[in-house]
Amino acid sequence: MKKTRDLENYKFYIHTFGCQMNENDSERIAGILTKEGAKISALLEESNLIILNTCAVREKSEEKLYSFLGRLASLKKTKNITIGVAGCVAQLYGSELSEQKPFVDFVIGPDNYQKLPQIISDNIGEKILSTSWSPEWQETPSELIFRESQVSAYVTIMEGCNNFCSYCIVPFTRGREKCRPIQNIIHEVKDLADTGYLEIQLLGQNVNSYRDPQTGKDFSALLRELNRVDGIEWIRFITSHPKNFSPEIGFAIKESEKVCRQLHLPVQSGSSSVLKRMNRGYTREDYLEKIELLRDLMPDINLSTDIIVGFPGETDEEYKETFILLEKVRFTNIFSFRYSVRPKTAASKKQDTVPLEEKRRRLIEVQSLQKKIQLEHNQSLIGSIMKVLCLGESKKAPRIFSGRNEGYQVVNFKSKKDFIGKFVDVCITSCGPYSLIGEIVL
Ligand code: 5AD
Ligand code: SF4
């Protein structure tokens, strides 16, 4: 008879790389394992099951995984541990990863997490590979999600992507778009409100293309429905695709008082010719038009974006258009990256022409411009009073609390009283480019 192992014998540690969807997936994995009797641990050293939830979006994220795996390989020589690799790298490399890293006990893709308890209890001396795709939405009941925060919760509403931007690996790691039924989303959000959550963050690779599989209700309809859930105070969402960002979504944000006036709208490049080569489906002008519409509707909206510099063939002139776009739009925050070649993508078949040094130079230039813009913006907020949701206390400096304002900026403040999980009014007294500092107004 096949030997199996009781999940109760496991203490597990999950290390999460990458985006918020991976964080939410790790919360699901933790819930699925806890339900079967395994115990979660915050310490790798005291765990006998270690799961790495991986990210493949850039080469650097993969490198981080391989160096972590190197450490685990040494640990396994001295200790009886089970090692699992989950997430995007697992899905992408599957059997190859399993063969190249023989100390890894199981490799599991994002559509297979429900099978984890079975995989782990079966895993006595044999390696397991579970990377099949599921065309249907895989529902994990809300109560099964072991959430990190008791204040702000991630709610995945769709997964996968149909866009095939030429640089992006996501369609190969997360598959095609799958939308979660609207009634399940509403049910989860109501549950979260009943448990005391004040903020939800809707997640999906391209939330703007959300459609309820049964009724066809779109993303703006979903926002309006969630706006009616009592108890939830703030609703945010990522990531939006400019191509699918319709005026209706702008109206839904404006007219739904709980939907924060904050939008992450990745532009990637300010050059229409680069955007075409990236297969983004919009031009510089289309993007700027959407920004103008949003600012006409909501002058106080905080905008953030993603930028890639050094895409294959990006000339100095094309790069400068990105720089000028950043000067023009003045985002509150950006995430900027050097182009990184990803397997299977269309861009990987083109020559990576921009030398590394030049990519670095462009990135530094973009980041210092943005730093200056953010500092100026933050300085203009000194003296104002803003509503802040307190999310936690600093580990290094006790009694220094940290939260976010409606625009998703980090606000730190000192307090003798614990305000975690509460809204507070904070008067901004100073700032840096990446955060605001203030005092509680009672
Ligand atoms: N190289 C660099 N950055 C990338 N991103 C996605 N793929 C790549 C790549 N191959 C960035 C994009 C995306 C963000 C999540 O990561 O800016 O919006
Ligand atoms: Fe990647 Fe483009 Fe899909 Fe975003 S929209 S996940 S960048 S392919």
Side-chain angles (χ1 to χ4, degrees), residues 161 163-165 167-168 170-171 205 241 268 280:
C161 185
N163 289 313
F164 291 91
C165 299
Y167 53 81
C168 186
V170 167
Q205 269 79 31
H241 194 305
Q268 313 297 0
R280 289 290 286 175

Side-chain angles (χ1 to χ4, degrees), residues 6-12 30-40 117:
D6 204 325
L7 266 280
E8 281 172 11
N9 294 319
Y10 286 99
K11 204 173 223 188
F12 68 93
I32 289 169
L33 295 179
T34 313
K35 175 156 183 281
E36 300 301 322
K39 277 163 213 72
I40 191 163

Side-chain angles (χ1 to χ4, degrees), residues 19 56-59 166-170 239 264 266-268 280 305-309 335-342 345:
C19 65
V57 80
R58 280 171 296 275
E59 208 176 346
S166 63
Y167 53 81
C168 186
I169 204 164
V170 167
T239 288
H264 184 66
V267 65
Q268 313 297 0
R280 289 290 286 175
T305 203
D306 290 346
I307 296 288
I308 298 177
V309 296
F335 298 89
S336 49
F337 313 99
R338 270 188 273 131
Y339 169 71
S340 158
V341 184
R342 300 285 62 216
T345 60

Side-chain angles (χ1 to χ4, degrees), residues 279-316:
N279 191 30
R280 289 290 286 175
Y282 56 88
T283 62
R284 172 194 179 87
E285 290 69 34
D286 297 335
Y287 185 86
L288 290 173
E289 229 170 74
K290 296 202 181 198
I291 297 290
E292 204 178 313
L293 173 102
L294 277 162
R295 287 205 164 133
D296 279 349
L297 275 177
M298 296 166 277
D300 55 345
I301 191 165
N302 266 13
L303 298 167
S304 57
T305 203
D306 290 346
I307 296 288
I308 298 177
V309 296
F311 184 76
E314 185 186 65
T315 63
D316 208 36

Side-chain angles (χ1 to χ4, degrees), residues 344-404:
K344 298 194 181 181
T345 60
S348 70
K349 289 162 192 92
K350 294 183 189 154
Q351 231 190 327
D352 189 11
T353 50
V354 183
L356 182 61
E357 268 320 299
E358 181 56 17
K359 283 186 193 158
R360 284 203 177 116
R361 192 195 68 75
R362 291 178 188 178
L363 189 65
I364 291 171
E365 198 173 68
V366 153
Q367 290 178 341
S368 36
L369 166 70
Q370 185 58 27
K371 191 171 168 188
K372 180 176 139 270
I373 293 172
Q374 285 180 206
L375 190 60
E376 283 168 6
H377 174 72
N378 289 351
Q379 279 166 344
S380 76
L381 297 172
I382 293 179
S384 63
I385 295 175
M386 53 184 67
K387 190 173 164 186
V388 172
L389 179 56
C390 183
L391 295 164
E393 188 176 358
S394 162
K395 285 195 184 85
K396 288 188 209 126
R399 303 289 99 184
I400 301 284
F401 290 88
S402 186
R404 298 251 183 197

Side-chain angles (χ1 to χ4, degrees), residues 121-184:
S121 60
D122 280 356
N123 174 251
I124 305 279
E126 68 182 89
K127 289 162 71 69
I128 295 180
L129 175 69
S130 180
T131 51
S132 56
W133 294 106
S134 150
E136 268 99 52
W137 177 260
Q138 300 278 301
E139 183 69 18
T140 307
S142 180
E143 60 278 10
L144 255 190
I145 302 177
F146 196 97
R147 295 184 190 274
E148 282 264 321
S149 164
Q150 265 67 69
V151 187
S152 177
Y154 293 128
V155 176
T156 299
I157 63 162
M158 58 90 64
E159 197 196 342
C161 185
N162 296 347
N163 289 313
F164 291 91
C165 299
S166 63
Y167 53 81
C168 186
I169 204 164
V170 167
F172 307 97
T173 61
R174 294 276 176 176
R176 298 298 81 73
E177 283 180 6
K178 278 181 279 187
C179 291
R180 186 176 181 193
I182 197 164
Q183 72 271 19
N184 300 12

